[in-house]
Amino acid sequence: MTDYQRQLVTDNHNLIYRFLQKEKLNMEDWYDLAAIGMCKAAKTFNEGTSKFSTYAFKCMFNEVYSEKRKELNKRTIPEGKILYYNTEYEDGSGNKVEFIEKIQSDYNVESDCIHKVTLKNAFNKIKEKHKPIISLFLQGYKQVEIMKIVGCSQPQVSRVMKRFVDEYVRC
């Protein structure tokens, strides 16, 4: 964080307590996540858009409630009902077998994971203004459709996609 961003967090530190109080959240349980939200707000704040306090409240809200959603999702499937790939069980002849050994598939999980990480790294390296174009492309839109949605020329869409593919190859 820059000195200015640190100063923003220091000057507005009481917003964390106000946010937790307003949302009726326990200080001990949620202070850390609200503080992370405050720091993210300081890092991404644009002075021309709104007051810092308004923006910080939104960032803290997003941080805290994304964690709450994660906790809620953990409770939707009881732990005893989750079947992990490395779970061992006895087959019909009494031998212990891992579940993954019984799944027949040509799908290469490792290759897919590497592809996704490389794609994410390439996406993070491109300019912010080009991300909507690449995002639409990755969702399956054609260049002409992207051009109409984003409001730029088809050759511009093509150049941005070429830069993205080049970045992907470099990653």
Side-chain angles (χ1 to χ4, degrees), residues 6-21:
R6 276 192 214 100
Q7 191 62 41
L8 260 178
V9 172
T10 304
D11 292 346
N12 293 287
H13 183 262
N14 287 336
L15 284 176
I16 297 172
Y17 298 111
R18 176 70 185 113
F19 168 77
L20 293 172
Q21 213 173 32

Side-chain angles (χ1 to χ4, degrees), residues 6-167:
R6 276 192 214 100
Q7 191 62 41
L8 260 178
V9 172
T10 304
D11 292 346
N12 293 287
H13 183 262
N14 287 336
L15 284 176
I16 297 172
Y17 298 111
R18 176 70 185 113
F19 168 77
L20 293 172
Q21 213 173 32
K22 184 177 179 247
E23 297 294 320
K24 295 179 177 72
L25 298 169
N26 184 327
M27 297 279 179
E28 290 177 18
D29 295 338
W30 299 101
Y31 178 87
D32 296 344
L33 284 169
I36 290 169
M38 171 75 84
C39 291
K40 285 183 179 179
K43 283 182 149 185
T44 58
F45 178 62
N46 274 337
E47 288 195 36
T49 55
S50 66
K51 288 174 51 177
F52 178 72
S53 59
T54 305
Y55 186 70
F57 257 70
K58 198 68 159 161
C59 289
M60 288 187 285
F61 180 88
N62 290 342
E63 196 67 31
V64 167
Y65 282 91
S66 71
E67 184 64 27
K68 280 192 163 202
R69 275 191 299 279
K70 287 179 193 172
E71 287 182 6
L72 187 63
N73 288 340
K74 284 181 184 174
R75 287 189 231 138
T76 56
I77 303 173
E79 189 65 32
K81 299 288 183 186
I82 298 174
L83 183 60
Y84 296 98
Y85 285 124
N86 61 352
T87 303
E88 288 187 348
Y89 69 95
E90 287 187 23
D91 64 2
S93 59
N95 299 327
K96 287 199 174 198
V97 180
E98 281 191 355
F99 178 69
I100 189 110
E101 293 174 10
K102 292 296 181 182
I103 298 176
Q104 295 179 353
S105 173
D106 294 334
Y107 182 69
N108 188 337
V109 176
E110 183 179 344
S111 176
D112 188 52
C113 287
I114 291 170
H115 170 71
K116 285 180 181 177
V117 168
T118 306
L119 201 60
K120 184 177 179 183
N121 289 341
F123 186 78
N124 289 335
K125 288 183 180 180
I126 63 171
K127 294 179 182 177
E128 285 297 319
K129 67 180 184 179
H130 295 155
K131 288 185 178 182
I133 293 172
I134 299 304
S135 182
L136 290 169
F137 172 67
L138 294 173
Q139 292 174 34
Y141 285 87
K142 304 289 182 218
Q143 287 186 13
V144 175
E145 296 170 323
I146 295 170
M147 169 190 81
K148 290 175 184 174
I149 293 169
V150 177
C152 64
S153 67
Q154 188 274 329
Q156 175 66 21
V157 172
S158 181
R159 282 191 296 272
V160 169
M161 288 171 47
K162 182 178 179 340
R163 285 187 205 123
F164 176 71
V165 169
D166 292 344
E167 188 62 47

